[in-house]
Amino acid sequence: MTDVPTENAPPKAPKTFEEASDRLDALVRQMESGQLPLDGMIAAFEEGRRLVAFCNAKLSEVQRRVEIIKAGEADGSIAREPFQ
């Protein structure tokens, strides 16, 4: 059950937030299983950090878009409100 990429096969970059989130879930399950060798754990951890950065960037992008949408509502005035 070692679905962790090897040095020869780098992990493919996620295309969507959902894809990255699903992959993170799978990595956590693998790491928690105790079945990965040390090198596999390190590779999973590194991939996980890249996926978290990807997800954070996507969430920031969505937050900016929501702020822009909210700014165009109501009376047409531009008032940025933080995303909750």
Side-chain angles (χ1 to χ4, degrees):
M1 178 180 174
T2 56
D3 192 22
V4 175
T6 63
E7 291 179 28
N8 298 343
K12 83 175 177 159
K15 291 182 172 62
T16 65
F17 176 87
E18 293 77 14
E19 186 180 315
S21 179
D22 289 345
R23 180 63 184 145
L24 270 170
D25 286 340
L27 286 171
V28 169
R29 282 193 305 276
Q30 287 177 335
M31 292 174 78
E32 288 178 342
S33 75
Q35 300 297 312
L36 292 176
L38 182 58
D39 288 343
M41 289 288 282
I42 297 297
F45 182 79
E46 290 171 341
E47 182 182 357
R49 288 190 52 124
R50 286 189 298 273
L51 290 168
V52 166
F54 175 87
C55 288
N56 284 335
K58 286 291 186 185
L59 289 173
S60 292
E61 177 184 323
V62 168
Q63 180 178 352
R64 285 189 301 275
R65 289 175 64 192
V66 168
E67 288 174 349
I68 290 168
I69 291 168
K70 287 181 80 170
E73 292 179 346
D75 64 354
S77 64
I78 299 174
R80 283 191 118 173
E81 296 178 27
F83 181 72
Q84 302 277 332

